[in-house]
Amino acid sequence: MSDSMKEVVETLDPVSRRLIPQSIDSGTLVPLKTTLELRDNLSVGLAYVTRAPTKLTNDVVNIVRAMVGDEAAKNLPHLRRCSKPNDLPPHLKNQFMNEGQSGRAIHVGKSQWLYILLGPKDDMDYQQIVQGLSAIDGIRDDIFVGLIPVPLLAPTSQVQANMWSQQFWQTVYRKNNPLGPHPSNICRTTGVVSRDANIWMSLAHQVAKKAHKAGLGEPIGAVIIKRTIPSTKPETEQKETVEVVALAGDARWYRQEKIGRTGNPMAHAALRAISMVAQKLVRAEKREPAASKPILEFEAFQDKPLLSDEQLVFETEHPSPDGYLCHELELYMTHEPCTMCAMAILHSRMGRIVFRHRMPLTGGMGSEDRGHDICGAHEPCPQGPCGGGQGLGLHWRKELNWSMLGWEWETDETERLTVDPHLHA
């Protein structure tokens, strides 16, 4: 264990220090991509462009505002409104030089003309543009209106902005991400999580192996922690604290016969851990569940501690019982959770998720398209054609009412916990 990791361990609560493995493996956090980042990062549309002497630029812009209104005139904010002839991409420069009476003259020497992006074709009427420009002295005798392809969405990096500037029109990267979490948020939070992510991932692997060895389920583990970041005010001297709120191994085979079935889906590690958090909240409110006879002979929700490590964490009190279930908590899992668990994680209002093993056939967090026949079978898959389709990327979807930051933990040090690729973690 490195000296920096020892310093982190010393700040943990006694229960956490007692549980974590002696050997902490190191890994790297890789932020998960959203579905939009992977599929819609380039959406191209058509836009009108004109040219005018520099001194008439404001007149042209005012005409656009009069046509479409102030708000619509601000469309495509990631594209430069005006561009000098020499700053045009080569293909546009060659095209525009040969159009109009003064095309070549405008591109010679130190030009006093500018090319002006008017707006998306769908928002403007060509005849109205021509009519408006014809009212401006200085360009009415040589009105130029071009139609060019432009990226409709903002770039997500400076590299992408530079590339689009060469392919389409001068593009500006404003250090944001319209297709997912803000880059600064990702960078800042990655720095926070990376300080002790290795500890919680190692603990998740430990409980996964213990649950599997005990015959409870597959080698899958989950750890939920509460991170308290102190105020940034200079007068406060508090330190960041982290506590384990729930610890759970997979228990799908507990009291189940492991014969040709998938086991108990309600005993997946993520669901068990979330339920244990809920029980702590109930306990903190001093509410006891109403005593009643079991409705079913078999209890589907295996959310009581089954391992001594689970019991040790379960007996501790919730560090902040005033919030909603898993709001602002962090989940560390050995495997990418299945679609069912992913939605449960979202509904619980989890703040962050980190997992190690991708489950490209059944996982719900990855956004990458699912390849065909990727189960690794040397012969035709006994379950028939598998794979295909688009990844769900459930950690960050605009149409859902909750989003969370997610990472994949990459490491070569930790033992791989191999499961059937068709398994729903």
Side-chain angles (χ1 to χ4, degrees):
M1 189 184 300
S2 65
D3 292 338
S4 60
M5 192 58 63
K6 289 179 181 178
E7 292 179 4
V8 174
V9 171
E10 289 175 358
T11 64
L12 300 179
D13 62 285
V15 172
S16 298
R17 290 201 299 271
R18 177 177 170 184
L19 288 173
I20 60 174
Q22 290 296 319
S23 176
I24 304 295
D25 298 322
S26 61
T28 302
L29 292 175
V30 180
L32 299 181
K33 294 289 187 181
T34 69
T35 55
L36 291 176
E37 286 175 311
L38 292 173
R39 295 171 204 159
D40 295 332
N41 60 336
L42 178 56
S43 180
V44 178
L46 295 175
Y48 286 116
V49 62
T50 190
R51 61 191 174 203
T54 305
K55 62 183 180 181
L56 299 179
T57 301
N58 287 335
D59 295 335
V60 175
V61 173
N62 289 334
I63 286 174
V64 174
R65 288 176 179 166
M67 289 174 54
V68 299
D70 288 343
E71 290 302 317
K74 297 176 183 177
N75 282 346
L76 308 177
H78 56 285
L79 301 178
R80 295 280 189 194
R81 170 69 78 177
C82 301
S83 177
K84 296 179 180 179
N86 288 337
D87 293 334
L88 291 175
H91 69 284
L92 289 184
K93 189 182 300 184
N94 293 333
Q95 176 186 336
F96 293 164
M97 282 180 64
N98 299 313
E99 294 183 5
Q101 300 175 13
S102 55
R104 288 191 174 275
I106 290 171
H107 288 263
V108 175
K110 191 174 181 180
S111 178
Q112 298 298 317
W113 285 63
L114 290 176
Y115 282 90
I116 306 165
L117 188 71
L118 301 177
K121 177 186 176 184
D122 294 342
D123 296 344
M124 314 187 78
D125 180 78
Y126 176 81
Q127 294 300 330
Q128 285 187 340
I129 294 174
V130 173
Q131 183 179 352
L133 295 176
S134 63
I136 302 177
D137 292 334
I139 60 174
R140 65 159 58 100
D141 296 330
D142 186 17
I143 294 176
F144 166 81
V145 179
L147 196 61
I148 63 171
V150 295
L152 298 178
L153 299 174
T156 58
S157 69
Q158 187 60 57
V159 172
Q160 193 175 57
N162 294 340
M163 182 174 64
W164 288 356
S165 295
Q166 292 299 313
Q167 293 177 334
F168 301 102
W169 183 266
Q170 279 192 301
T171 307
V172 180
Y173 174 56
R174 302 188 184 280
K175 297 183 179 180
N176 62 0
N177 182 8
L179 310 177
H182 197 285
S184 64
N185 188 18
I186 285 286
C187 183
R188 181 177 63 255
T189 311
T190 300
V192 172
V193 174
S194 63
R195 290 202 292 266
D196 54 14
N198 297 336
I199 295 176
W200 311 121
M201 290 304 302
S202 297
L203 181 56
H205 276 69
Q206 177 175 274
V207 72
K209 290 190 285 188
K210 287 184 177 181
H212 184 57
K213 184 177 181 180
L216 300 178
E218 299 293 327
I220 301 170
V223 176
I224 297 178
I225 69 166
K226 167 65 178 178
R227 186 186 305 276
T228 303
I229 300 178
S231 171
T232 57
K233 295 180 180 179
E235 62 269 17
T236 60
E237 297 182 359
Q238 297 176 332
K239 294 183 178 180
E240 177 181 315
T241 60
V242 184
E243 295 182 55
V244 180
V245 184
L247 181 70
D250 184 79
R252 71 186 66 202
W253 300 118
Y254 182 61
R255 296 181 179 175
Q256 296 270 309
E257 293 183 13
K258 194 174 181 180
I259 302 175
R261 297 200 304 272
T262 58
N264 178 9
M266 304 310 298
H268 290 188
L271 296 186
R272 295 187 67 229
I274 291 172
S275 184
M276 290 179 186
V277 175
Q279 292 177 72
K280 282 191 171 187
L281 293 174
V282 171
R283 193 169 65 205
E285 295 173 0
K286 295 182 171 54
R287 290 192 291 116
E288 295 294 333
S292 62
K293 293 182 180 180
I295 300 175
L296 300 175
E297 217 176 281
F298 171 72
E299 176 55 58
F301 297 93
Q302 296 297 338
D303 53 4
K304 300 299 181 185
L306 299 174
L307 299 170
S308 58
D309 288 357
E310 294 176 351
Q311 183 67 40
L312 190 63
V313 175
F314 187 73
E315 290 175 352
T316 62
E317 297 304 320
H318 195 294
S320 56
D322 299 328
Y324 175 83
L325 196 47
C326 294
H327 186 246
E328 295 186 349
L329 301 186
E330 298 174 17
L331 172 63
Y332 294 81
M333 290 193 64
T334 55
H335 296 72
E336 179 185 358
C338 65
T339 304
M340 176 188 69
C341 289
M343 288 306 298
I345 293 166
L346 278 177
H347 287 311
S348 73
R349 297 295 190 267
M350 195 74 67
R352 302 161 185 167
I353 181 170
V354 182
F355 63 83
R356 180 191 179 191
H357 296 288
R358 287 261 182 170
M359 299 296 290
L361 291 176
T362 62
M365 294 295 176
S367 301
E368 288 76 8
D369 290 346
R370 306 171 189 267
H372 288 277
D373 301 320
I374 53 176
C375 64
H378 297 294
E379 300 178 357
C381 179
Q383 299 192 28
C386 62
Q390 296 180 332
L392 298 176
L394 292 178
H395 72 290
W396 190 277
R397 294 288 290 267
K398 288 187 175 182
E399 62 270 34
L400 300 177
N401 63 356
W402 186 257
S403 294
M404 59 184 171
L405 301 183
W407 295 264
E408 182 179 5
W409 190 64
E410 293 185 348
T411 180
D412 293 326
E413 296 185 17
T414 307
E415 173 191 357
R416 293 192 64 84
L417 301 178
T418 304
V419 298
D420 188 314
H422 295 92
L423 186 82
H424 290 258

